[in-house]
């Protein structure tokens, strides 16, 4: 089985172009899993037999057509499963496809010296626990007894960790469509070091998303934060909300928590973006009943503010923190 993981080099906040690029990929295989905002997984099993081409040839065709038709370059990783294809993508570069062969020895060699944190599903806490016991590379984790990993991380997590470290990839490509989303970006006039200005940008972006969601009578299930730095690198974090919402204060609190979890210290930030994903009609969403009078008051204020914005313009009312 050959899986391609493609990441298109889209300009910031142009994720709407992903739908057109997915249509391009459908010329090669119908088994495509969208990875918003800028990627996709392709299952090429049928396409390889039908067209008589290999993964590298398909990658070259995709790259050429994306450049010719949309002016967008991409990086591509290939492997015998989704996990390995995603990991191969990290080593890929524009114009060069990184391929992990299907042979078990080749897979083991590819994984052996990589840090354990590079393994999908291994978060910061799990990586620290494993490193404390000397299991700092994927090869060492694969060589460790299953019982040891289960004592350190739990029965199920230990079994999955051992399988992934051994190159056993049970994932599959699940065809889907791009989830509808709303996004907004707050660029800074200069590379910004001040955390208070970062938080003001987050507040402004969350307020805008909340207002737009309520105007469309939509709610979102997931909020994604993207921080772009002076060297043009980015950090992206997503968080699933407790319940679908268009409530500005909930979006703001979630954005603040994601930002604080990054632990940025003296980071030169060029822009901050928020994206609301998994949009559904507000009338179809379920809510947890609450008897909190403060929350109810805030929601009533939001309704009044939305009516004022609809009548007099989007900037007629807003948080006092943003008045300056």
């Amino acid at each position: 089985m050959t899986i391609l993981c493609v990441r298109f080099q889209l300009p910031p906040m142009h994720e709407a172009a992903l739908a057109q690029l997915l249509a391009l990929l459908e010329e090669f295989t119908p088994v495509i899993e969208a990875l918003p905002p800028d990627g996709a997984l392709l299952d090429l099993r049928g396409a390889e037999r039908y067209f008589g081409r290999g993964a590298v040839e398909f990658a070259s065709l995709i790259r050429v057509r994306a450049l010719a038709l949309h002016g967008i370059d991409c990086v591509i990783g290939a492997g015998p499963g989704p996990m390995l294809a995603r990991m191969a993508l990290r080593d890929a570069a524009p114009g060069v496809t990184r391929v992990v062969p299907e042979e078990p020895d080749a897979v083991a060699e590819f994984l052996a010296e990589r840090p354990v944190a590079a393994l999908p599903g291994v978060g910061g806490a799990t990586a620290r626990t494993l490193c404390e016991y000397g299991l700092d590379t994927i090869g060492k984790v694969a060589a460790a007894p299953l019982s040891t990993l289960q004592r350190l991380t739990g029965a199920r997590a230990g079994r999955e960790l051992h399988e992934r470290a051994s190159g056993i990839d049970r994932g599959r490509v699940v065809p889907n469509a791009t989830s509808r989303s709303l996004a907004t970006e707050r660029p800074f006039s200069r590379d910004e070091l001040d955390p208070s200005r970062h938080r003001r940008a987050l507040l402004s972006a969350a307020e805008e998303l909340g207002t737009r969601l309520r105007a469309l009578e939509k709610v979102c299930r997931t909020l994604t934060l993207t921080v772009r730095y002076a060297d043009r690198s980015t950090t992206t974090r997503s968080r699933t909300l407790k319940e679908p919402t268009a409530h500005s204060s909930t979006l703001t609190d979630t954005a603040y928590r994601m930002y604080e979890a990054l632990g940025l210290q003296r980071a030169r930030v060029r822009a901050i973006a928020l994206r609301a994903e998994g949009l559904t009609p507000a009338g179809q969403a379920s809510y947890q009943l609450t008897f909190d009078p403060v929350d109810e008051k805030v929601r009533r204020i939001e309704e009044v503010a939305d009516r004022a914005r609809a009548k007099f313009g989007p900037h007629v009312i807003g948080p006092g923190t943003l008045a300056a």
Side-chain angles (χ1 to χ4, degrees), residues 34-306:
L35 302 175
D38 58 1
L41 284 170
L42 292 78
D43 187 337
L44 295 177
R45 285 179 296 178
E48 287 178 322
R49 292 192 296 268
Y50 184 83
F51 292 105
R53 298 178 182 273
V56 175
E57 293 176 290
F58 277 115
S60 298
L61 284 171
I62 291 170
R63 185 177 293 109
V64 168
R65 293 191 183 183
L67 279 169
L69 299 177
H70 301 282
I72 294 174
D73 202 354
C74 59
V75 290
I76 302 176
M83 179 191 77
L84 293 168
R86 289 173 183 260
M87 295 182 70
L89 180 70
R90 300 172 188 173
D91 294 345
V96 178
T97 302
R98 180 68 166 94
V99 180
V100 180
E102 294 187 16
E103 292 75 17
D105 291 344
V107 172
E109 182 181 354
F110 172 77
L111 293 173
E113 298 303 322
R114 294 175 181 274
V116 67
L119 199 63
V122 176
T126 301
R128 286 192 295 271
T129 299
L130 294 171
C131 290
E132 287 174 359
Y133 288 86
L135 303 175
D136 56 347
T137 66
I138 297 177
K140 292 179 181 179
V141 172
L146 174 59
S147 57
T148 299
L149 297 177
Q150 289 181 321
R151 282 198 300 271
L152 293 176
T153 63
R156 180 178 177 180
R159 184 174 62 253
E160 293 177 350
L161 178 62
H162 189 266
E163 288 185 349
R164 291 171 181 168
S166 301
I168 300 174
D169 190 353
R170 300 189 185 277
R172 61 190 183 92
V173 178
V174 181
N176 64 355
T178 53
S179 59
R180 292 192 58 192
S181 64
L182 289 178
T184 185
E185 183 179 26
R186 294 296 182 269
F188 296 106
S189 57
R190 60 182 182 181
D191 298 334
E192 187 57 66
L193 292 156
D194 187 353
S196 65
R197 291 184 178 272
H198 299 166
R199 290 175 64 88
R200 286 186 61 192
L202 287 170
L203 173 60
S204 173
E207 283 287 331
E208 180 186 329
L209 283 183
T211 301
R212 291 167 62 187
L213 285 168
R214 294 190 296 274
L216 294 171
E217 298 184 350
K218 300 283 187 181
V219 292
C220 72
R221 179 167 291 279
T222 303
L223 190 66
T224 298
L225 166 67
T226 300
V227 180
R228 184 150 47 93
Y229 305 104
D231 61 358
R232 298 188 179 182
S233 64
T234 60
T235 299
T236 300
R237 293 290 184 272
S238 294
R239 183 164 295 184
T240 300
L241 304 170
K242 292 182 179 179
E243 62 182 22
T245 187
H247 194 19
S248 293
S249 63
T250 301
L251 297 176
T252 301
D253 291 343
T254 303
Y256 282 166
R257 288 198 297 270
M258 286 193 289
Y259 170 80
E260 291 166 0
L262 294 178
L264 301 181
Q265 295 181 352
R266 303 295 294 172
R268 295 164 59 85
V269 175
R270 183 161 295 178
I272 289 177
L274 284 180
R275 184 173 65 255
E277 298 179 308
L279 305 192
T280 56
Q284 298 179 8
S286 58
Y287 301 95
Q288 177 65 46
L289 295 177
T290 176
F291 296 99
D292 183 359
V294 175
D295 182 73
E296 185 63 27
K297 180 179 179 180
V298 171
R299 291 179 184 271
R300 289 201 302 269
I301 292 174
E302 272 186 351
E303 294 176 3
V304 174
D306 289 341

